[in-house]
Amino acid sequence: MQKYIRTTLKLELQDKPGQLLTAIKPISESGANIITISHQRDEENPGSDLIVDIVISLQESALPKLLDSLKAQNIDVTRIGIERLMCMKTFILIGHILHTDLTDTVNRIDKKDITEVTELHIIMPKLDEPSTAKLTIKAVNEAEMDHAIEKLEKIAAEKHLMIIDEIGGRL
Amino acid sequence: MMKIALIGIGSVGRGVGEVLKNDKRFKIVAAADSKSGLVNPDGIDFDAIMAAKKKTGRCGTTDWTAFRIAAEVDYDTLVEVTPTNAETGEPALSTIKIALSRGKHVVTSNKGPISLAYRDLKALAKENNADIRFEGTVAGAVPIINGMKNGLAGNPVKALFGVLNGTCNYILSRMEEEGLTYQQALAEARDLGYAEADPTYDVNGTDAAIKLVILANSVLGMNVTLKDVQRTGIDRITPEAIKMAHTTGHTIRLIASLYPDKRDLEVSPRLLPEDDPLVFSETLNAITVETEYAGAITFIGAGAGSVETASAILSDLVFILKKYAL
Ligand SMILES: NC(=O)c1ccc[n+]([C@@H]2O[C@H](COP(=O)([O-])OP(=O)(O)OC[C@H]3O[C@@H](n4cnc5c(N)ncnc54)[C@H](OP(=O)(O)O)[C@@H]3O)[C@@H](O)[C@H]2O)c1
């Protein structure tokens, strides 16, 4: 299976017509999906370079070649940020979540830079009544996500928590 | 003309009587309830027996039982619409076997025999050159079995997701709309007749799981039983869970899911986007089938009801009528 990554490219373009198109061509040729494009003009220095942020998702193996072809067009790439956690899934947990050591639940799923609990929200209606939590797990790929889900299911069985998961829900 | 023996004249049986009343292609020659039965080769006056039943609690005389009708009467097709017994399938299973052994066709909306003994019944039917059809067992009026078998014939099925229990769907949609607790929504469903006095099989996912087993075995060529379906009910769901789901545009429904390749069958509450075709209120049933060539197809409609379920039975009867030129 091919690994997809999401990355932000900060491009410096000369402020003249056709430059953006020149930059986009190699990107689309690389097979990448363009997610957003935003550009800002330096108002204080008219005629200076145009800075464009492009968020793309593409196969990780295609990235070096894309950077080469941008360079070949004389386009400066000043920053590459890579969002590594590409898979995201949301879960709702119901049960005695706090009584059963929430930190332990989260710690057992968290694997630095590989799977992370990125959002956690809890509502406790009354003392001794089951509480409800919503948590979002992000993972680098589907295999790691499946791994995290397995762990979550094991924890839920141990702690008598009910899990409600999404149908589909992968980025 | 097709001669019909009607076993069971409750909600669905009455619907069948209603639907066939003015259809000259069919004649009901025998009928039975739990205590009695009657036979008339010239055709039964359905309104008259329902009136009699209202007065005496019986449709006929005690010497005619379902078994005796199945075994002795001259009919073409037995319509079996008695209550579902999920553990043994009886007495319907025996009635159906008697009919098939005589080379009579069978049409049923009873999930018990089909979920427990699909292969045996199919083999018995084949041996005796008869047909057994059961469109009404899954999702009431929704033509899911014929729709998948014929309409989507040849399309490999990647996954199937269904809302197959109207009671659960009603409860969850009321919790969503009004912020009710599970107990409050269940009480409301009972008052409106959407939930049985003992709703255990509905709310713990068993009813939906039985329907999933029927689809898996009869449409997807699998060989599974109720034990193969992982089940989680809706009774622990809190109003907070539904509110939290809403913050990201989701809601919660009891979903029966099936991945044929992985032999993965499950009935459990799931998060769905609020604009998913499987999200609706009331007691409808729906099934989304994800296929190789057709993409996702969703079937939706009345999952229960007297004439609604009879509509599924009618389609099976018409199929047999044409196939055997009766
Ligand atoms: N209702 C629906 O919307 C619906 C939808 C899909 C599938 N189904 C299935 O269709 C079947 C019928 O449902 P229903 O709602 O019509 O049930 P129902 O209203 O309870 O009626 C059942 C009928 O079967 C008769 N019966 C019970 N035991 C019998 C026996 N041993 N021999 C002969 N008759 C017997 C009953 O007799 P008495 O009149 O003497 O009690 C009654 O007339 C069930 O298997 C159900 O799961 C129902």
Side-chain angles (χ1 to χ4, degrees), chain B residues 8-12 33-34 53 66 81-84 91 109-111 136 304-305 309:
Chain B
I9 48 172
S11 173
V12 177
D33 57 24
S34 65
K53 186 167 171 57
V81 287
T82 69
T84 293
S109 62
N110 189 332
K111 297 172 279 284
T309 307

Side-chain angles (χ1 to χ4, degrees), chain A residues 153, chain B residues 115 157-162 164 204-232 254-270:
Chain A
E153 281 170 352
Chain B
S115 65
V157 172
K158 295 199 277 192
L160 177 153
F161 302 101
L164 299 178
N204 75 7
T206 302
D207 174 71
I210 291 172
K211 293 166 180 166
L212 197 60
V213 165
I214 293 176
L215 288 179
N217 291 342
S218 70
V219 183
L220 298 169
M222 300 172 76
N223 191 2
V224 295
T225 69
L226 195 53
K227 284 201 197 73
D228 298 308
V229 187
Q230 200 187 319
R231 270 167 284 164
T232 310
L254 185 75
I255 301 294
S257 66
L258 195 166
Y259 295 87
D261 291 348
K262 290 192 262 175
R263 245 183 95 91
D264 177 352
L265 292 87
E266 183 177 344
V267 173
S268 59
R270 307 288 292 268

Side-chain angles (χ1 to χ4, degrees), chain A residues 77-95:
Chain A
V77 183
T78 60
R79 201 190 70 199
I80 312 166
I82 295 185
E83 158 92 90
R84 298 198 56 86
L85 303 175
M86 286 294 293
C87 290
M88 184 176 97
K89 243 178 171 241
T90 298
F91 301 84
I92 287 181
L93 299 181
I94 300 173

Side-chain angles (χ1 to χ4, degrees), chain B residues 84-133:
Chain B
T84 293
N85 178 329
E87 276 95 45
T88 66
E90 296 293 356
L93 184 54
S94 297
T95 314
I96 291 173
K97 282 182 178 164
I98 294 169
L100 292 176
S101 310
R102 292 180 69 200
K104 309 294 187 192
H105 311 296
V106 171
V107 172
T108 186
S109 62
N110 189 332
K111 297 172 279 284
I114 306 301
S115 65
L116 291 164
Y118 170 72
R119 280 175 185 243
D120 292 351
L121 292 176
K122 202 73 189 164
L124 186 61
K126 198 168 171 212
E127 218 172 276
N128 293 285
N129 297 315
D131 259 47
I132 175 158
R133 300 182 68 85

